[in-house]
Amino acid sequence: MDLIYLDFAKAFDKVPYIRLFKKLESHGIHGMVLNWVKNWLSGRRQRVSINKEYSNWVNVTSGVPQGSVLGPVLFLIYINDLESGLISKIGKFADDTKMSKSVHCLQDAEILRGDLKKLDELAQNWQMQFNKDKCVVMHVGRLNDQFEYKLGDQPLKKSNKERDLGIIVDSSMKFHEQCNVAIKGANSMLGLIRRNIKNKNKNIIVRLYKGLVRPKLEYCIQAWRPFLKGDIKNLEKIQRRATRMIEGCSRLKYSERLAATGLTSLEDRRTRGDLIEVFKMIKGISKLDYRAFFRLDANSRTRGHTYKLVKERSRLDIRKNYFSQRIVSEWNKLPTSVVAAESVNSFKNRYDSFISLRSK
């Protein structure tokens, strides 16, 4: 897989008004709503201030206001058809854009190069140029041929890791550095709690841990769930430290501290989170189509619940520990009473009850 990270140059500041209004009209936005948007964007001025010295006011002729709700929406509408006519996959979130394609031979690389050329031409035609110095390519896979790519006339730099919506993605897909970043942030917050909170009562520490520390360890965890034993152990150490801070718990075993605080291990929570995502996909609650990840077992009616999944063969650790592979066995083990839940909350409650009974 070749993954190309693209960066628009001053994205929100360069949206041309006339073309934006044409895009809004093509999306069926007319009349008073369109006039309201036009009035909101027109008549805006700006100036520069340096050491209490001010430049003259100038009219703003392009760009959508940042820090507003409507600004990013208008920007997304403007670049919504960016992938039109492209073969490679495009992922967009605000001004963060990435293109990806499986590349097994030179022909696949040529397709990706052609899509890059089309994308660059489309961006120039709509006056949205890329910052080519910040656009990079990441080659994923042990047997990757690492073909070269260009955006316009400029070759793309190669990168082994990139920050993608707050997650550090590396070419090995082991997410070791992301684990270290999460651990560092959680440790800093835990140290802040230790130094400034005098009362180490169980209710206080558990609430602070759940609200300020654990989210740093679980942000987007289904995307980067660690599978290396060292990373799993280091993440769990944070919760071990947090429960040891509680009055009267410092000499208890970790399992006893979890029982006393009502917490579960982080690894168990990651499994629970994976299962919740599968449930949402299978039941159509999530916007993600489960068929992009899983295949239902046609013979599942004979044994177990009717939503059993087929576990594909996998040779490499990266594939074995990918979301669509690692969770299949756990999902298939669930009883019908849990899988048949009608809502996410009902599924959570039934799953927790099932795990509680199984652990006794």
Side-chain angles (χ1 to χ4, degrees):
M1 174 75 73
D2 282 343
L3 184 60
I4 298 175
Y5 285 88
L6 302 164
D7 184 80
F8 284 107
K10 299 180 179 179
F12 284 85
D13 297 328
K14 286 196 172 183
V15 178
Y17 290 157
I18 301 300
R19 299 185 182 211
L20 172 63
F21 299 150
K22 290 292 184 182
K23 282 279 184 84
L24 292 175
E25 289 179 4
S26 69
H27 280 76
I29 300 175
H30 303 282
M32 294 180 64
V33 176
L34 180 60
N35 289 333
W36 178 74
V37 174
K38 289 180 178 180
N39 291 335
W40 183 61
L41 293 175
S42 63
R44 293 170 54 236
R45 299 189 303 163
Q46 63 184 11
R47 64 177 179 177
V48 178
S49 170
I50 301 177
N51 295 329
K52 297 185 179 181
E53 296 291 332
Y54 301 95
S55 68
N56 294 327
W57 286 101
V58 295
N59 293 324
V60 178
T61 58
S62 66
V64 291
Q66 298 187 48
S68 63
V69 175
L70 189 57
V73 174
L74 294 176
F75 177 78
L76 289 175
I77 291 175
Y78 191 73
I79 66 167
N80 190 49
D81 57 352
L82 196 65
E83 66 267 32
S84 179
L86 302 182
I87 299 174
S88 306
K89 292 183 180 179
I90 287 280
K92 302 190 298 290
F93 186 87
D95 58 338
D96 291 325
T97 305
K98 52 184 174 287
M99 176 187 289
S100 62
K101 190 181 188 312
S102 297
V103 178
H104 301 284
C105 58
L106 180 60
Q107 185 178 0
D108 292 335
E110 290 295 339
I111 293 174
L112 187 52
R113 288 167 180 167
D115 285 343
L116 268 175
K117 183 179 179 181
K118 292 178 184 176
L119 192 64
D120 187 43
E121 292 174 350
L122 184 66
Q124 291 187 28
N125 290 338
W126 286 95
Q127 298 179 4
M128 292 295 295
Q129 296 181 351
F130 290 106
N131 186 344
K132 297 178 181 179
D133 291 331
K134 292 185 178 180
C135 297
V136 298
V137 57
M138 182 186 295
H139 301 291
V140 180
R142 184 171 55 88
L143 301 178
N144 197 302
D145 290 321
Q146 300 195 10
F147 293 104
E148 292 186 352
Y149 301 95
K150 290 183 178 181
L151 191 59
D153 298 328
Q154 184 168 330
L156 292 179
K157 298 177 183 177
K158 295 181 181 180
S159 175
N160 291 323
K161 61 180 180 181
E162 287 294 318
R163 184 175 290 275
D164 190 342
L165 301 182
I167 301 300
I168 297 178
V169 179
D170 60 84
S171 56
S172 70
M173 290 295 164
K174 293 180 180 178
F175 295 101
H176 178 67
E177 187 162 347
Q178 170 59 29
C179 287
N180 290 337
V181 170
I183 290 169
K184 183 179 179 180
N187 264 329
S188 298
M189 185 57 66
L190 201 57
L192 186 69
I193 294 172
R194 180 190 293 274
R195 291 189 302 271
N196 293 281
I197 304 299
K198 301 298 182 182
N199 189 343
K200 300 299 193 296
N201 179 274
K202 181 182 72 173
N203 292 333
I204 294 175
I205 297 301
V206 170
R207 285 190 180 187
L208 289 172
Y209 169 73
K210 287 182 176 180
L212 299 176
V213 180
R214 195 168 66 184
K216 294 183 179 295
L217 301 172
E218 295 185 336
Y219 167 70
C220 207
I221 190 64
Q222 268 60 61
W224 62 274
R225 179 176 177 175
F227 60 88
L228 298 177
K229 290 183 179 180
D231 291 333
I232 294 173
K233 183 179 178 180
N234 289 334
L235 285 172
E236 201 70 40
K237 279 182 180 179
I238 305 298
Q239 186 162 275
R240 288 176 178 270
R241 283 184 57 205
T243 54
R244 198 178 290 118
M245 288 169 51
I246 299 172
E247 293 176 349
C249 290
S250 59
R251 295 185 179 181
L252 297 177
K253 295 181 180 180
Y254 181 50
S255 58
E256 294 174 340
R257 297 199 300 270
L258 292 180
T261 56
L263 298 172
T264 58
S265 70
L266 294 177
E267 182 67 7
D268 289 341
R269 280 182 57 82
R270 290 191 285 268
T271 299
R272 181 177 183 267
D274 281 353
L275 290 170
I276 292 170
E277 289 301 320
V278 176
F279 175 81
K280 288 161 66 177
M281 290 182 188
I282 296 292
K283 293 302 180 77
I285 300 173
S286 171
K287 293 182 179 179
L288 294 173
D289 188 347
Y290 77 88
R291 289 170 293 187
F293 295 86
F294 308 107
R295 183 162 57 92
L296 288 176
D297 188 351
N299 300 320
S300 63
R301 293 181 179 84
T302 57
R303 298 178 64 184
H305 58 77
T306 58
Y307 292 103
K308 278 196 171 184
L309 305 173
V310 176
K311 189 165 186 176
E312 308 289 350
R313 286 189 176 184
S314 53
R315 181 171 54 87
L316 301 176
D317 286 341
I318 293 177
R319 178 62 180 162
K320 288 177 183 177
N321 293 281
Y322 183 59
F323 172 73
S324 63
Q325 288 290 99
R326 67 179 183 240
I327 200 59
V328 171
S329 297
E330 292 294 331
W331 173 262
N332 289 343
K333 291 178 185 176
L334 293 178
T336 303
S337 59
V338 176
V339 177
E342 297 180 353
S343 66
V344 176
N345 285 334
S346 176
F347 175 82
K348 292 178 181 178
N349 293 333
R350 295 185 186 187
Y351 174 76
D352 292 341
S353 299
F354 166 69
I355 292 298
S356 177
L357 290 173
R358 193 173 66 174
S359 62
K360 290 181 179 179

